[in-house]
Amino acid sequence: PLMADPGQLEQVIVNICTRDVEDVRERAPEVPEAIARVISRALARDRDERYPSAEEFLAACDNTRTERV
């Protein structure tokens, strides 16, 4: 099972509502900064800080390719 302890689900929900997502490079330092920025914006708690559409998210992902070249 994904979460053996039912209390974990409550904690996950609390964390989603109250904590910002940690920078992906905290767990995977090899991730380029441009990709980390895209991930961070996509996972922002505040809806207004996220990409307004899937098309803009895809464009941001595509732009990371040129930033890394």
Side-chain angles (χ1 to χ4, degrees):
L2 182 61
M3 289 185 215
D5 178 9
Q8 284 182 322
L9 179 58
E10 289 177 23
Q11 188 59 50
V12 168
I13 292 169
V14 167
N15 289 347
I16 289 170
C17 294
T18 62
R19 297 176 62 192
D20 290 327
V21 175
E22 69 181 27
D23 188 318
V24 67
R25 292 171 297 167
E26 295 286 325
R27 294 184 184 242
E30 68 278 6
V31 172
E33 183 178 345
I35 292 174
R37 280 195 314 267
V38 170
I39 292 169
S40 179
R41 183 173 176 192
L43 296 176
R45 274 191 295 134
D46 184 343
R47 178 183 300 220
D48 294 332
E49 292 178 13
R50 287 181 249 155
Y51 294 98
S53 68
E55 290 83 11
E56 289 190 41
F57 175 64
L58 180 60
C61 291
D62 283 343
N63 287 338
T64 64
R65 286 195 243 172
T66 58
E67 287 185 44
R68 293 184 296 161
V69 178

